Amino acid sequence: MPLNHSLSSSITFCLHFSPKPFTRFSARALVNAMAGTPENFSTDATADAADEDVKFGFQRSEMYQSKLAGTATSYDRHLFLCYKSHETWPARLEASDSDLLPKSLSAALKARKDDIKIKTLLTICEVRDDMEVSEGDILIFPEMIKYRDLKESDVDAFVDDVLVNGNTWSSGLQESLSGSYVFVCAHNLRDRRCGVCGPILIEEFSKLIESKSLKDKVRVTACSHIGGHKYAGNVIIFSSGKDGNIVGHWYGYVTPSDVPALLDEHIGEGKVIERLWRGQMGQYEKVTDKVDEQKVPEVTNEEKKSLENGSQESSVTSFSCCQGAAGVSCCRDASAEQKENKKGQGTVSNWFGKWEQREILAAVGVVGAVAVVAVAYGFYKKSR
């Protein structure tokens, strides 16, 4: 049998009968193969993956180009609604008419935002077996609480009981969470960068968690858009700090090579990886022009008390600042600005004064020179 006919028949058989079609192979590779052109499928798939990595993955040109500190959202409580797979999430999940549970919960939070004393952020997370969650479950941080099986018809009562009044949900059983939780943005239809980087990071976390026997202590799953896709891979880790309190830290530009440090140093030792750090839940950091000198800020007892009481205005106001892109502040000291203006005005005034003085002296000099010439010419005339 001719080689071309044999190869074509094999490809046709695979396409029709393989349970998983060769979706990873390019159309060019199949055409070349059917035409009898030698083609290495593995090489072609690798080339496509490398090209995607350069465009959207860890090799893209924008990696490490922006300052990270100060780019996390300011909030004090994080709700995660466990819902389907990240591969099925539409771009605007919380506004999708085909996904009524996340849409209803998001709408209820917006409608009651003035009644909810603690600034609350909603994110969707993927349902995974190793997370021990089911669709409709709610995870709440930093309280480390889980509620099972929220339905669309329960949303208003849940928001009113738990978020507005601070009580347990009357229709649901409250469970406690333990250990550390890692959420990786993998919202592919919202932004391809997180769609490429997220699943790779989740796989790397899962592999190391397994090898380090941390399955009962660390759980990882995909989450929806959290802001800042250009910082992909974006990771949020909820774990206990050195003081034992649960804190949510945001990281950006995370690559597979950073996963061991996040597990061993951040989760294992309570250390913050500053070069990747975007900020943290409950932290209102004063952003300055000297972004390079920023350190992980400390929260004072007074600020903690303010946040625990649900009153954010005082702490937010004291750290209020006009924040520009990538954590760079556009704030200016008014008094310093006035001093600068006065200093500039004084300099200009002095300059003009000196200029006028020089002109007067020059004019006197010219007049004097003309007089000397006139007298000399008079003597010259008389001598003749």
Side-chain angles (χ1 to χ4, degrees):
M1 182 181 293
L3 176 62
N4 288 359
H5 178 74
S6 175
L7 183 59
S8 176
S9 300
S10 299
I11 292 172
T12 302
F13 175 82
C14 289
L15 288 175
H16 281 285
F17 297 102
S18 172
K20 294 184 179 180
F22 291 94
T23 53
R24 292 184 61 190
F25 300 143
S26 67
R28 176 173 59 81
L30 291 174
V31 170
N32 287 341
M34 293 180 71
T37 303
E39 183 74 37
N40 187 318
F41 283 83
S42 178
T43 302
D44 190 76
T46 301
D48 288 348
D51 184 57
E52 190 168 65
D53 193 32
V54 170
K55 288 181 180 178
F56 307 108
F58 304 110
Q59 298 300 319
R60 64 188 190 277
S61 59
E62 67 183 0
M63 285 288 285
Y64 311 113
Q65 295 302 305
S66 298
K67 301 296 182 183
L68 292 173
T71 62
T73 300
S74 296
Y75 68 112
D76 302 298
R77 178 170 54 196
H78 209 149
L79 256 64
F80 286 87
L81 170 64
C82 303
Y83 185 78
K84 296 185 178 179
S85 166
H86 73 273
E87 296 175 346
T88 67
W89 294 338
R92 304 290 171 179
L93 178 56
E94 294 85 355
S96 172
D97 290 332
S98 60
D99 299 278
L100 296 181
L101 181 56
K103 181 179 180 180
S104 298
L105 183 55
S106 177
L109 287 173
K110 290 178 181 177
R112 303 296 303 275
K113 67 178 182 179
D114 292 336
D115 301 322
I116 299 173
K117 297 177 182 179
I118 300 175
K119 190 173 182 181
T120 302
L121 182 66
L122 171 65
T123 302
I124 311 303
C125 71
E126 182 177 45
V127 175
R128 288 170 58 101
D129 292 338
D130 51 3
M131 280 282 288
E132 299 180 356
V133 296
S134 304
E135 187 165 319
D137 289 357
I138 295 282
L139 311 179
I140 307 178
F141 300 93
E143 292 87 346
M144 296 293 283
I145 292 172
K146 175 168 66 177
Y147 284 105
R148 292 281 190 183
D149 197 25
L150 179 71
K151 300 267 192 311
E152 185 190 347
S153 57
D154 301 324
V155 166
D156 289 335
F158 169 79
V159 171
D160 191 62
D161 287 347
V162 179
L163 306 182
V164 174
N165 295 314
N167 300 322
T168 57
W169 182 24
S170 58
S171 301
L173 178 63
Q174 177 178 307
E175 300 178 19
S176 296
L177 299 175
S178 62
S180 300
Y181 285 77
V182 179
F183 296 93
V184 183
C185 183
H187 201 162
N188 182 55
L189 292 182
R190 185 68 177 265
D191 191 283
R192 185 62 181 148
R193 289 166 289 189
C194 283
V196 169
C197 297
I200 296 174
L201 290 175
I202 293 170
E203 184 178 352
E204 187 66 20
F205 269 109
S206 299
K207 183 175 70 175
L208 284 181
I209 288 170
E210 177 76 29
S211 66
K212 292 175 180 289
S213 301
L214 296 173
K215 291 187 69 174
D216 294 333
K217 298 178 181 178
V218 183
R219 294 169 177 82
V220 60
T221 191
C223 72
S224 62
H225 174 66
I226 57 174
H229 282 299
K230 67 179 180 178
Y231 307 126
N234 283 306
V235 175
I236 301 177
I237 300 177
F238 289 93
S239 60
S240 56
K242 293 180 179 179
D243 58 0
N245 293 326
I246 297 294
V247 181
H249 285 276
W250 292 43
Y251 287 106
Y253 293 142
V254 177
T255 68
S257 63
D258 298 314
V259 172
L262 291 175
L263 282 176
D264 297 339
E265 297 178 35
H266 182 101
I267 294 177
E269 302 175 23
K271 295 180 180 178
V272 172
I273 314 300
E274 293 191 39
R275 62 186 176 82
L276 303 173
W277 187 76
R278 293 185 57 187
Q280 69 184 64
M281 178 183 64
Q283 183 65 65
Y284 298 91
E285 180 187 10
K286 184 176 182 180
V287 182
T288 69
D289 288 327
K290 298 181 180 179
V291 180
D292 288 332
E293 297 179 9
Q294 286 181 337
K295 301 297 181 183
V296 179
E298 296 292 334
V299 182
T300 64
N301 291 331
E302 187 176 290
E303 290 161 8
K304 285 182 181 178
K305 192 178 297 182
S306 164
L307 295 176
E308 289 169 1
N309 291 336
S311 173
Q312 303 169 27
E313 288 188 16
S314 60
S315 59
V316 174
T317 303
S318 63
F319 287 95
S320 176
C321 192
C322 169
Q323 183 176 331
V328 178
S329 171
C330 56
C331 301
R332 289 187 62 84
D333 187 335
S335 61
E337 211 167 273
Q338 290 175 0
K339 290 177 183 177
E340 189 176 300
N341 290 336
K342 288 180 181 178
K343 182 180 178 182
Q345 291 171 0
T347 302
V348 172
S349 176
N350 291 339
W351 186 83
F352 272 109
K354 291 178 181 178
W355 181 81
E356 290 172 0
Q357 187 176 12
R358 285 199 301 270
E359 288 297 308
I360 293 170
L361 291 174
V364 170
V366 170
V367 172
V370 170
V372 170
V373 171
V375 171
Y377 182 73
F379 280 117
Y380 170 74
K381 290 285 287 181
K382 289 179 182 180
S383 65
R384 295 190 62 183

